[in-house]
Structures are given as structure tokens and as C-alpha cells.
Amino acid sequence: MADKLLDIQHLGVHFAIGGLFDKSTLRAVHDVHFSVDRGDIVALVGESGSGKSTIAKLICRLEKPTSGKILLDGKDVLETEPHAAGKEYRKRVQMIFQYPFGSLNPVHTVAYHLSRPLQLHQIIRSNDLRPRILQLLETVGLRPAEDFIDKFPHSLSGGQRQRVAIARALATEPDLICADEPTSMLDVSIRMDILRLLTDLRKEQQTAFIFVTHDLAAARQLADRILVLYAGQLVEEATSDDLIADPKHPYAQLLLAAAPQQGGSLDTPLPAKPGAPKNVDPQPGCAFAERCSQAMDVCRQQTPGWTWMENKRRVRCYLYGDTRADEETTK
Amino acid sequence: MSLLQVENLMVDYLTPDGALRAVDGVSFELKRGEILGLVGESGSGKSTAAMAAMRILGPPALITGGEVLFDGRDVLRMSAEQLRRWHWREISIVMQSALNALNPVLTMQEHFLDTIAAHRPELSNAEMLTRAAELLKMVDIDPRHLNSYPHELSGGMRQRVVIALALTLNPPLLIMDEPTTALDVVVEREILKRVLQLQKEMGFAILFITHDLSLLLEFATRLGVLYAGRLVAIGPTEIFRQGGIHPYTQGLLQAVPQLRGKREAFKSIPGSPPSLKKPPNGCRFHPRCPLVEERCRKEQPVLKHVQHGHQVACHVRT
């Protein structure tokens, strides 16, 4: 397909942990498979330890996968650039981090932060640097830009810093931005501003986003599609509306039931047992089986494969079909 | 008589550039067995107000005015020894970061023994251990973890332990300062459910501090909203569920994306919370308020009764 931008195939990160005598494997990310079209906003949703941030870092090539492929425009970048991403890849794929206090250098001005990507990627001649920086600041809503360009990070609020971080990511005019919980450190009253900014950028510049979040309501607000992760594995993919209206995977149902919402009540029972994702020395079978209230014998024996449904929806659960994961690809 | 009564509380932070008023004339009361939620953004003074009422704030914070009564006793005039006896027996606090609240080189057992021995020295070691095991079971943790160190427990388990520690001496008031903010939604919900069950069984009151208004709507009896050090709305939760009356409360409620219903346009409150170094004149919310009028810029509004025990500080709404 012409507009497929990023294609992730069987991506995995397995670590060997422990000492000489008690070796174990930690599966941070396992057999993750999805694609992102140009201008698409895809949300990765899950709890801590689900691997959602790790996937964003793998795609931005800040961490190395131990298996799988990352294809950008059909080109396998792990094969052509096995050790580190090339300049071209870095230019096209950018990242925004969760913590806007840590992602900007306190001894440099806003202008410096934004000039670096422009100079490194030789996007602009040095004479045009300042006008372009002003333009970037305008784009992210820091107006009048002249007031912000020479400021240091400490004199900006959290929301303003996050806008600078977004402007920095935009400087290279990337095709894809991975945003790792870009609003979770910000005050409630300004979170929506940042989300709105991301949708505007998509509209105006056709930038695609991978939006990493634990907040299902924010994912629904922003994203076209939601991918749900549990213990490093994708368990469901659907359009945002489909997923929120009718989550199929029992873990997606649990996440939705646990999200605070208007008219909700703490008296409503949760549809699963307490527990945490188990990433160390995973046993065969569905990772969620031990917490799942609908688990069957087969769920504990073999990892479920994908069952496809209408509207390009897929769910990894035996409740919807008896497809088993191909053990060759899941090892 | 109310269990905790805070009247016109003022707290300053002394900075090199002069004093900065973090809590400015905040008043609220808490009855026995009640859950009062205090909600606000960062810098609104919600934690400072609660910690000042408990007298656990140290320099550079300074309580510069007001009155705090606990069960009729004047908290601001308590001696160090009186405070020591009051803390934990009658009022305890659960803070946000359970990792920092526990000592990394002590086991769970040592944490409990320490606390119990400090306040109930008459108990034997065996009695204390029984009590510790009982407390862990209360928060759904297997008592075998008495021998675990903090790093061996997950974040959710650590927070459960901190809650159990806070309830060790059956205090009538538990302050919870963002107790679940660092946790995942599912764990958050499991812990809150347990706390509310315990609250019903044991009958303690909770002062619950958070930035998450939608969470409070699900269980608080009453709610107070703080903005830039001032209480702008307080009253029964029902009115907040219906959308609130103060424009800031309304803005906050609309700024939270919803799971149900139509996907609406992105709503937010323009601007950002003010700096406490130079708070705006008049109503502190006026630069961001959609209903702003001339007198909002000059006169500071005070809390006034609007309906059903709901008070708001707003010129336009009262």
C-alpha cells in the first residue's frame, strides 16, 4: 500500500537477567506487529511494564530490539543500519518525552534547543535560522514567539516546555513522531491544549503519531486506532471508537472498567483478578490467563494467535476463535 | 463538633525573593467518618494546606495565620510532645511516593514494629507481630511479606503497606496525599476499593488530596477546589457531578477527556496557573476565566453560599 509509513514486524526485546546459576529471560516486548499509515495517530495503551514506552524507543531507535523488523517506507532499517539509525532516519522519526523538565538542557536557551536539529540535519542556512525558529514556536502556540526564543527552560511552565520539546521534534519535519505520555506530567487544565496541538499538526503537516499513554480517554480523544498491550504483547487492535464502545480482550475490558469516568463508581466490581504482568520467564499460554475471569484450559497451554474481525479489528484471545500463535515466530 | 476544623489558614514559603503565600485563607471542616476531597493543580496549595493542618511542614514553610482545631484541641499551639502523641494515633498520612516513604534497609516487619513500639510500648513483641500480620492481611498482602524489603515489593504493594502502617493505631483521620497517582489505573482502583471498605468498617475520616477530579467524583462525600492558594469552591460532591458552579471547576470538569458519549472538541482552560510570586489582582482565576467582569480584576471574591451547602468564591456566580 502506498501510504503505509511504518511497518513493525515481530518486534521483540528479550533480556537475559540473573547470574550464572539462575538465568531468566525478561520479555519486555514480544512479537509485536503493527503498521502506521502516513498521517495516522495510533495510541499504544497499557500499564507500566506493558512495554509501551519501550516500543516507542525501539521505533525511534533509542534502544535495540533483539528480534523483528522495522520497515520505514518498506525499507528494513535494522538491516541497512544495524548499529545505529542513520541521519535520514533520525530526521524522519522524532520523539517527545514524558518529562519536559528533563528533556531540555537547563543551561541552553529555547533558540539553542531548536537550532540544533536544524543545523545537524542541514535543513537551513544559518542566516535563516532565527526566522525558522520563530516560525516553529508559532506553530506550537508559543506566541508571540519573540518572547520565548531567548528564554531558558527554568523560566517556562511545564506546558510551555512541552511545547518547546514538540517544536524541537517538528524542526526536522518528520513523518512520524513518537510521543511518550506527553501530557501526563502536565496540569489537567492544559493537557487538552497539547493534545489539540498534536491533532492540528497531523491535519496541517500530515505528521503521523504514535501516542503512548495509560489514559484510555485521552487515547480515544486523540487517536484513530488503539493498540492494547499486556506484558509486552499486543492483545487487541481496533479503531478508538470500536475499542471503547466494546472492548473484546478481557484485559482491554479491565482497563476500561478501571478508568475513572463521570457517573462511575468504585462499587462496580473489576472484571479480573488483581495481579501484575509477568514478563520474567514467561510460560506458554496467554500472559493474562492467570488474572482472567474467563480463562479456559487452552489459555494456559498455548499462546493465542490473532482472530480478525470487522473493521480491521484483531484480538489475541481464544474467546473469539481458536487460532494459535505460530510458536516459531513467538519464541 | 467537627473532627478537623481549619479556619482561615495562611502558609508562606520563605524564599530569597521574599515570602510567597502558598495557602491564602483556606477554611474547611471535616466530620467524623466523612471523605473530603481537596482538588487542585500543581501549586494550588492542596498538599501544603493539609500538611500545615497536620503540623508536619518545616522551613522554609511557615504557618502565618489561622486556626486548626482537632476534636476541639488547638493544633497550632500543641507542644512537640503533644504532636508526637497526636500523630499516628489520631491523624496519619499516606503520601504519594511509597518508595520514599519506606526505609530501604528495613523489612516490613521492622517498619511495623517501629511504629507500634513508638506508640504502644506496653505491647509484647509477639503481640506486635500479630498486629502487623493482621494489618497486612487487611490490605490484601500475604503476611509472609513481613520479611520482605521494600524493593522486593511492587509499587502497588508498597503503597498498600504504607496504608496499613498509617492505619496501625486506628486513627479517626487519615490524610491521603495523591496516594495512587504513581500507580496504574487498575492497581489504583483495587487499592481505593480496599481503602473505602476499610473506611466503612473502621469509620475513619479521609482527607483525600489529588489533582484528579474525576476520581474524587466517584467516592468523596464533599469536595473543595483550590486555585493558586485559595479555596474557590466547596460543597457536596453531587453538585460537582452535575458540572459545578465556579467557572474554574466547570473548566476542569470539561478538560478531562471522556470515555462515554460523543467525542467532543478539545476543551481546555486557556493560559496556565499563575505564579504565586505575582498572583493576579482581584480574583486569581480572572485572566483565564470565560465569564470575567470588571470587578473580577479588582476585588478578590470570598466564598459565598449558593445552594445546598455549596459555596463558591466568584463575583459572577454569587
Side-chain angles (χ1 to χ4, degrees):
Chain A
M1 248 171 37
D3 57 353
K4 188 183 275 186
L5 177 68
L6 180 81
D7 198 3
I8 301 297
Q9 296 180 356
H10 305 298
L11 201 64
V13 183
H14 297 190
F15 298 108
I17 55 169
L20 200 57
F21 301 108
D22 58 342
K23 274 198 186 122
S24 340
T25 317
L26 187 145
R27 281 196 336 198
V29 173
H30 182 64
D31 193 27
V32 164
H33 206 106
F34 68 94
S35 64
V36 180
D37 290 346
R38 224 167 271 280
D40 225 1
I41 301 186
V42 174
L44 295 180
V45 177
E47 294 173 87
S48 28
S50 64
K52 56 190 193 302
S53 296
T54 310
I55 294 173
K57 284 183 192 151
L58 291 173
I59 292 171
C60 293
R61 303 211 52 197
L62 300 173
E63 270 174 38
K64 262 190 201 166
T66 50
S67 58
K69 290 178 178 174
I70 298 173
L71 295 115
L72 189 70
D73 281 335
K75 209 173 75 184
D76 184 350
V77 295
L78 292 171
E79 202 178 284
T80 52
E81 303 158 348
H83 300 296
K87 238 180 179 180
E88 180 61 19
Y89 188 85
R90 298 231 183 268
K91 187 179 163 192
R92 296 186 56 195
V93 180
Q94 285 279 327
M95 180 137 181
I96 303 167
F97 296 92
Q98 177 174 10
Y99 194 56
F101 299 84
S103 66
L104 300 178
N105 189 333
V107 303
H108 289 300
T109 61
V110 169
Y112 177 84
H113 281 101
L114 299 186
S115 67
R116 295 301 289 158
L118 292 171
Q119 288 173 324
L120 283 172
H121 293 284
Q122 293 156 348
I123 290 166
I124 217 153
R125 278 175 308 153
S126 52
N127 291 355
D128 304 327
L129 209 51
R130 201 171 166 94
R132 175 68 183 135
I133 292 173
L134 289 171
Q135 197 185 357
L136 280 169
L137 290 174
E138 293 269 340
T139 313
V140 296
L142 291 173
R143 301 184 194 107
E146 280 288 353
D147 288 0
F148 290 96
I149 188 164
D150 294 317
K151 280 198 168 159
F152 285 92
H154 69 83
S155 58
L156 302 176
S157 70
Q160 290 167 343
R161 279 181 232 210
Q162 199 58 294
R163 285 171 192 270
V164 173
I166 295 171
R168 177 174 58 183
L170 289 175
T172 62
E173 294 173 30
D175 296 316
L176 175 68
I177 296 180
C178 295
D180 187 3
E181 304 251 16
T183 60
S184 66
M185 299 301 292
L186 305 177
D187 274 322
V188 181
S189 69
I190 52 179
R191 284 184 189 175
M192 286 290 241
D193 281 338
I194 299 291
L195 296 186
R196 186 193 300 130
L197 173 62
L198 300 186
T199 40
D200 289 350
L201 291 172
R202 179 260 284 272
K203 225 179 283 166
E204 288 155 18
Q205 313 193 359
Q206 278 290 296
T207 318
F209 286 93
I210 292 177
F211 175 50
V212 175
T213 182
H214 65 274
D215 183 351
L216 265 180
R220 175 198 185 214
Q221 180 81 23
L222 185 68
D224 309 308
R225 286 182 299 140
I226 296 179
L227 301 170
V228 181
L229 283 151
Y230 186 77
Q233 267 190 312
L234 279 180
V235 296
E236 182 164 357
E237 171 175 3
T239 64
S240 306
D241 288 331
D242 284 353
L243 190 97
I244 303 290
D246 178 23
K248 299 286 188 198
H249 196 282
Y251 177 64
Q253 293 169 358
L254 172 66
L255 268 188
L256 192 73
Q261 52 186 303
Q262 267 173 29
S265 158
L266 279 176
D267 298 332
T268 326
L270 287 177
K273 289 174 216 134
K278 202 169 170 291
N279 301 50
V280 179
D281 280 342
Q283 301 300 310
C286 171
F288 191 61
E290 55 181 277
R291 296 175 67 185
C292 183
S293 55
Q294 302 172 71
M296 302 170 284
D297 287 340
V298 63
C299 304
R300 296 188 189 90
Q301 289 153 5
Q302 203 176 356
T303 311
W306 289 109
T307 301
W308 289 87
M309 301 179 174
E310 279 176 12
N311 225 353
K312 288 191 179 169
R313 180 173 202 167
R314 53 176 176 152
V315 57
R316 200 191 269 277
C317 177
Y318 287 122
L319 290 173
Y320 305 96
D322 190 19
T323 34
R324 307 189 178 205
D326 177 0
E327 288 299 328
E328 276 313 299
T329 59
T330 57
K331 255 173 207 154
Chain B
M1 185 168 52
S2 46
L3 179 62
L4 178 74
Q5 188 156 7
V6 174
E7 276 304 326
N8 204 20
L9 186 68
M10 309 264 187
V11 184
D12 287 4
Y13 281 98
L14 306 176
T15 72
D17 310 328
L20 184 151
R21 179 141 297 172
V23 175
D24 189 10
V26 167
S27 307
F28 59 87
E29 62 162 355
L30 197 75
K31 297 191 183 73
R32 282 184 187 276
E34 180 182 52
I35 305 175
L36 173 68
L38 281 187
V39 66
E41 300 182 86
S42 36
S44 63
K46 54 190 190 302
S47 299
T48 304
M51 286 161 85
M54 201 179 163
R55 292 259 328 257
I56 53 172
L57 273 183
L62 191 68
I63 301 172
T64 47
E67 194 175 32
V68 180
L69 296 175
F70 186 90
D71 219 3
R73 280 170 286 161
D74 188 341
V75 172
L76 298 187
R77 287 197 176 74
M78 280 186 189
S79 68
E81 178 55 24
Q82 281 170 323
L83 280 178
R84 196 189 70 79
R85 290 174 166 278
W86 179 54
H87 287 156
W88 230 307
R89 277 181 189 229
E90 295 185 85
I91 186 167
S92 56
I93 185 165
V94 173
M95 305 215 199
Q96 177 173 358
S97 174
L99 185 55
N100 301 335
L102 296 171
N103 188 331
V105 299
L106 296 185
T107 62
M108 294 304 126
Q109 178 173 324
E110 289 166 306
H111 279 97
F112 279 100
L113 293 188
D114 216 19
T115 310
I116 302 173
H119 295 273
R120 300 276 304 276
E122 73 280 7
L123 293 183
S124 74
N125 233 20
E127 282 172 317
M128 289 189 206
L129 276 180
T130 320
R131 176 75 182 137
E134 201 180 283
L135 285 160
L136 280 189
K137 265 189 241 156
M138 219 166 70
V139 291
D140 307 319
I141 289 185
D142 192 321
R144 74 188 159 84
H145 285 299
L146 274 174
N147 294 314
S148 303
Y149 286 92
H151 75 266
E152 295 173 301
L153 305 179
S154 70
M157 287 167 86
R158 281 194 291 252
Q159 196 57 288
R160 286 171 194 267
V161 170
V162 172
I163 291 167
L165 274 170
L167 296 176
T168 302
L169 303 167
N170 277 329
L173 175 58
L174 179 65
I175 296 181
M176 304 189 89
D177 188 0
E178 304 257 14
T180 54
T181 307
L183 304 174
D184 283 313
V185 279
V186 178
V187 181
E188 169 177 70
R189 192 146 285 244
E190 284 162 0
I191 291 182
L192 287 181
K193 275 168 165 291
R194 192 80 198 115
V195 168
L196 292 191
Q197 277 170 2
L198 291 171
Q199 188 258 347
K200 282 200 189 99
E201 287 162 23
M202 301 165 68
F204 53 87
I206 302 178
L207 179 61
F208 198 102
I209 297 156
T210 179
H211 67 281
D212 191 344
L213 184 50
S214 38
L215 186 67
L216 278 178
L217 290 181
E218 296 193 17
F219 65 88
T221 332
R222 285 190 308 128
L223 276 177
V225 180
L226 283 154
Y227 187 77
R230 292 184 70 91
L231 197 62
V232 297
I234 187 163
T237 309
E238 195 44 44
I239 288 165
F240 292 92
R241 281 201 197 104
Q242 291 160 12
I245 293 168
H246 193 284
Y248 176 61
T249 317
Q250 292 178 330
L252 267 189
L253 283 167
Q254 286 170 359
V256 181
Q258 287 302 313
L259 278 169
R260 302 274 173 226
K262 247 183 73 192
R263 248 201 275 188
E264 285 175 60
F266 295 87
K267 284 183 187 150
S268 58
I269 305 174
S272 46
S275 147
L276 292 174
K277 280 182 207 153
K278 252 194 330 192
N281 288 333
C283 173
R284 292 188 173 175
F285 186 60
H286 88 254
R288 304 174 72 190
C289 184
L291 307 176
V292 60
E293 288 176 2
E294 202 38 50
R295 66 184 161 152
C296 305
R297 296 194 174 90
K298 292 177 196 136
E299 265 175 69
Q300 184 135 209
V302 289
L303 278 176
K304 279 187 195 153
H305 191 258
V306 273
Q307 49 163 293
H308 307 301
H310 194 85
Q311 292 175 290
V312 296
C314 176
H315 293 307
V316 184
R317 293 291 192 201
T318 52

